[in-house]
């Protein structure tokens, strides 16, 4: 089964999910703001930023301010700890299926997207440091002049799924991963060979495969709530609209990472609307192909690499699919 064939699988899953949902009792409504303002650790991390009676939208804005660094890629110990506390607090309330308050989705995605390197590593799930430091009581750590965080993959994926019900939130996270993937490909030394050459593009593909599975999970949920196909198409269309706004930021950039990002977004834009969902699922392969061409990679090496990248995306998708 190729990566491009995942679209059909996603549609089938959505239909099956809708049928199952009709036989499943409705979920209890989520508590106000998912009880984030009442969580002991979140209250300790955010202090006076949490005000009595604040709305969920105001709480979301406060979380963005409390977790954002003074400049991109730079966060303090307290900011990283707040982000970790918020992510775990969500999962403690509803560990398997987070019914996230709609007003929190975009703000929390905005906050998480600001942690691009950490988001990338948690999506890929292969860095031992991120695996070992994913526990609730394991603190954030400093490396490269900033503080990093990790959370258990079950908590992380449940949160991603909850955020992604808002297509704007999903687009924010996908854009952050696109930038992180491009930066890591561009940073590979010109003389890299063997496993050093293969590791990063396959990690990128794993990350995109997880995000593809999240998109299918949303399709299942949309189908359950409204069997009308236009609703799923509307979700995808909104995702694409927000992804393609990135083109203006990366157009005609000479930096290798910006070139990779701009090329991918242009390819997505040039893809006819009905085929864009399929094209999104080949992002890891498409970005790796552009990167290989830019490096002047020989045909056989490129062919072997792209095969590994495609398999990596497929395995990750199967691992995380609903």
């Amino acid at each position: 089964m190729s990566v491009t064939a995942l679209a059909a699988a996603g549609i089938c899953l959505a239909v099956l999910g809708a049928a199952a949902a009709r036989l499943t009792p409705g979920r209890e409504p989520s508590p106000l703001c998912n009880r984030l303002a009442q969580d002991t650790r979140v209250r300790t991390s955010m202090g006076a930023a949490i005000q009595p009676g604040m709305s969920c939208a105001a709480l979301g804005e406060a979380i963005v301010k409390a977790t954002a660094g003074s400049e991109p890629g730079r966060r303090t110990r307290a900011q990283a700890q707040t982000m970790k506390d918020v992510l775990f607090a969500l999962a403690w309330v509803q560990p398997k299926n987070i019914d996230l308050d709609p007003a929190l989705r975009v703000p929390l995605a905005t906050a998480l997207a600001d942690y691009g390197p950490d988001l990338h590593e948690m999506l890929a799930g292969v860095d031992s440091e991120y695996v070992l430091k994913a526990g609730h009581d394991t603190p954030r750590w400093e490396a490269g002049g900033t503080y990093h965080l990790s959370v258990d993959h079950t908590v992380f994926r449940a949160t991603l799924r909850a955020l992604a019900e808002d297509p704007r939130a999903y687009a924010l996270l996908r854009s952050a991963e696109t930038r992180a993937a491009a930066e890591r490909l561009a940073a590979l030394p010109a003389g890299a060979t063997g496993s050093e050459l293969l590791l990063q593009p396959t990690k990128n593909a794993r990350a995109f495969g997880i995000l593809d599975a999240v998109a299918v999970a949303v399709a299942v949920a949309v189908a359950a709530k409204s069997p009308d196909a236009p609703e799923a198409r509307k979700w995808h269309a909104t995702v694409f609209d927000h992804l393609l706004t990135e083109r203006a930021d990366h157009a005609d950039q000479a930096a290798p990472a910006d070139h990779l990002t701009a090329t991918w977004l242009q390819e997505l834009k040039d893809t006819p609307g009905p085929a864009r969902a399929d094209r999104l699922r080949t992002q890891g392969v498409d970005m790796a192909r552009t990167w290989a061409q830019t490096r002047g990679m020989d045909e056989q090496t490129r062919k072997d690499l792209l095969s590994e990248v495609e398999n990596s995306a497929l395995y990750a998708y199967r691992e995380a699919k609903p």
Side-chain angles (χ1 to χ4, degrees):
M1 180 179 181
S2 68
V3 174
T4 54
L6 293 178
I11 292 171
C12 292
L13 283 168
V15 173
L16 291 172
R22 296 187 187 99
L23 301 176
T24 303
R27 291 180 298 182
E28 292 296 322
S30 60
L32 180 63
C33 305
N34 296 82
R35 293 202 183 99
L36 284 178
Q38 288 74 47
D39 183 87
T40 301
R41 295 197 187 203
V42 173
R43 291 185 65 84
T44 300
S45 294
M46 295 186 62
I50 294 181
Q51 297 293 320
M54 67 192 316
S55 68
C56 295
L59 176 61
E61 292 176 6
I63 290 171
V64 172
K65 292 178 181 178
T67 58
S70 57
E71 58 183 278
R74 300 290 179 184
R75 293 169 300 279
T76 66
R77 181 195 300 265
Q79 289 163 345
Q81 186 63 53
T82 300
M83 189 76 254
K84 181 162 184 163
D85 288 341
V86 167
L87 294 175
F88 267 107
L90 287 175
W92 288 149
V93 175
Q94 295 167 301
K96 292 185 178 180
N97 197 350
I98 303 171
D99 186 13
L100 186 59
D101 190 290
L104 290 171
R105 290 171 186 153
V106 170
L108 291 185
T110 300
L112 185 56
D114 190 53
Y115 289 71
D118 297 334
L119 175 65
H120 173 75
E121 295 298 345
M122 288 188 287
L123 281 167
V126 297
D127 186 303
S128 60
E129 188 161 35
Y130 280 83
V131 173
L132 293 172
K133 296 181 177 179
H136 191 206
D137 295 316
T138 305
R140 53 281 171 274
W141 70 98
E142 187 177 13
T146 189
Y147 280 88
H148 299 272
L149 67 96
S150 181
V151 297
D152 174 80
H153 80 277
T154 302
V155 170
F156 179 63
R157 292 180 187 177
T159 303
L160 289 180
R161 164 66 185 79
L163 295 174
E165 285 205 33
D166 190 314
R168 299 168 298 168
Y170 181 84
L172 280 167
L173 297 172
R174 188 103 193 188
S175 291
E177 175 52 30
T178 297
R179 291 191 295 272
E183 288 167 1
R184 279 153 180 73
L185 287 177
L188 275 173
T193 59
S195 60
E196 183 184 13
L197 184 71
L198 186 62
L199 177 61
Q200 192 54 58
T202 53
K203 279 181 67 175
N204 290 351
R206 270 194 59 79
F208 288 126
I210 298 298
L211 288 174
D212 291 338
V214 169
V216 168
V218 172
V220 170
V222 169
K225 293 176 181 178
S226 174
D228 295 333
E231 289 301 315
R233 287 199 294 269
K234 181 179 178 182
W235 184 89
H236 276 103
T238 304
V239 168
F240 299 138
D241 286 345
H242 284 270
L243 287 176
L244 292 174
T245 61
E246 291 275 300
R247 290 181 64 249
D249 295 334
H250 295 278
D252 302 321
Q253 296 293 323
D258 286 340
H259 170 72
L260 286 170
T261 301
T263 300
W264 152 245
L265 291 171
Q266 186 63 50
E267 289 172 350
L268 183 64
K269 181 177 184 293
D270 292 341
T271 302
R276 283 180 178 169
D278 288 352
R279 191 59 184 265
L280 198 65
R281 294 181 179 92
T282 67
Q283 183 173 1
V285 174
D286 289 342
M287 290 184 70
R289 181 182 295 109
T290 299
W291 171 70
Q293 291 170 345
T294 301
R295 289 172 70 96
M297 199 175 293
D298 68 81
E299 183 178 355
Q300 189 57 52
T301 300
R302 182 170 64 249
K303 181 179 179 181
D304 292 344
L305 181 139
L306 294 180
S307 177
E308 292 289 342
V309 169
E310 184 174 23
N311 287 335
S312 181
L314 179 58
Y315 293 151
Y317 171 82
R318 287 173 171 170
E319 170 192 318
K321 70 181 180 181

